[in-house]
Amino acid sequence: MKKALLLVIAAALSSFPAHSQTPPTPSPQSQFEVASIRMAAPYTEEEVRSGAANNPWSTFPTNRFTAQRLTLKLLVGLAYGVDQQYIQGDPDWLNSQHYSIEAKVEGNKELTYDQIKPLLQHLLEQRFHLTTHRVTKLTSGYALIVARGGPKLTPGKEGITPHAYIVPNGVQAQSMDMAHFVPILSHPVGYPVVDKTGITGNYDIKLSYAPANDPNSNLPDLFTALQEQLGLKLESQKVPVEILVIDHVDRIPTEN
């Protein structure tokens, strides 16, 4: 069940970088007008199977941010735009204790994800006394480069909001540029991936590969699929990764 929920979360997270393809508009606010945080039970296996966990937080833009039964580690990742695997220094309970949030933006203006992030950061800092710092480290990973023969990419359609989905046997993206598509590959690869393709523009991408540890699949492995279907190649090398380090965080939030 935990693996299934992580896949749901990874798929949902994969859509967020796409919203930053244009410079973010500064948020007119620094904090939510009102906010409620409750400790909550995690999703059950039955709820995950039924799809109840498919949309665990608000869609954007919105003037009401909600998050249902998420771990604090995931909430920190959402607030700071960092994948969970790049968050360090956290206590054990950060991955087990779940919380639900309901927060209202002042006025009726709907905010984008980039505009909501500083409000969510302030909320976590205020209610959980969260303090963090960032460091950059070189770590084992992959660079995505153009394979021999050149890329095989379909230009994205005009007017489509960039988004992507991770499914058990592939990745699908619409109107997404390489800078935001490439980090998504770190989920199925299991290591950080950086963009060294030099490719510009937005593309519709469908990548199909065999699920990990599935010997019965008729699909190629991820590395082969990238070359055959997209004309791209993963090259093993040391890559820079920005790490968010948690210095302090409380388990029980201050009262609403």
Side-chain angles (χ1 to χ4, degrees):
M1 186 273 288
K2 183 177 180 182
K3 182 177 181 181
L5 180 56
L6 288 176
L7 182 61
V8 168
I9 297 301
L13 275 172
S14 68
S15 66
F16 282 116
H19 294 280
S20 300
Q21 292 192 43
T22 55
T25 303
S27 174
Q29 310 173 32
S30 61
Q31 62 184 7
F32 292 109
E33 182 178 31
V34 291
S36 170
I37 302 177
R38 296 178 291 103
M39 300 177 78
Y43 287 102
T44 65
E45 184 175 354
E46 182 178 348
E47 287 174 323
V48 172
R49 284 199 303 264
S50 69
N54 286 356
N55 298 291
W57 54 76
S58 306
T59 56
F60 299 95
T62 184
N63 67 348
R64 291 183 179 274
F65 174 78
T66 62
Q68 300 299 324
R69 294 187 274 179
L70 301 183
T71 65
L72 192 56
K73 189 169 188 176
L74 180 54
L75 287 169
V76 171
L78 285 175
Y80 290 86
V82 178
D83 193 288
Q84 291 184 94
Q85 63 183 314
Y86 305 133
I87 299 175
Q88 295 182 357
D90 50 294
D92 292 341
W93 58 262
L94 215 68
N95 279 312
S96 58
Q97 177 61 59
H98 293 66
Y99 303 86
S100 291
I101 295 178
E102 294 183 9
K104 170 69 171 62
V105 172
E106 185 176 355
N108 295 319
K109 181 176 175 59
E110 294 193 335
L111 303 186
T112 65
Y113 169 57
D114 284 317
Q115 292 172 326
I116 286 285
K117 281 196 297 185
L119 279 66
L120 188 53
Q121 290 173 24
H122 183 274
L123 181 65
L124 298 183
E125 292 164 2
Q126 181 184 52
R127 303 291 294 278
F128 291 93
H129 301 122
L130 174 69
T131 58
T132 65
H133 71 275
R134 295 179 187 259
V135 295
T136 300
K137 297 181 179 180
L138 280 178
T139 186
S140 297
Y142 293 90
L144 189 69
I145 62 175
V146 176
R148 184 175 298 178
K152 307 171 185 177
L153 298 171
T154 302
K157 298 179 179 64
E158 294 286 339
I160 301 296
T161 300
H163 63 279
Y165 299 96
I166 301 174
V167 293
N169 63 343
V171 178
Q172 298 181 27
Q174 284 192 296
S175 194
M176 185 169 286
D177 65 15
M178 286 293 104
H180 295 91
F181 170 73
V182 171
I184 295 172
L185 294 175
S186 66
H187 292 287
V189 171
Y191 289 91
V193 181
V194 298
D195 176 31
K196 291 193 177 181
T197 62
I199 297 173
T200 59
N202 291 8
Y203 299 90
D204 292 340
I205 298 171
K206 183 177 181 180
L207 179 65
S208 300
Y209 50 81
N213 303 318
D214 183 0
N216 299 318
S217 175
N218 294 323
L219 295 171
D221 63 62
L222 173 60
F223 292 78
T224 303
L226 278 166
Q227 293 193 56
E228 293 179 347
Q229 299 169 23
L230 303 183
L232 304 174
K233 181 180 179 180
L234 285 171
E235 187 175 81
S236 177
Q237 58 181 251
K238 292 288 187 180
V239 297
V241 173
E242 187 174 69
I243 306 295
L244 182 73
V245 181
I246 293 179
D247 300 310
H248 175 83
V249 64
D250 294 340
R251 181 170 185 168
I252 301 176
T254 57
E255 294 184 6
N256 294 321

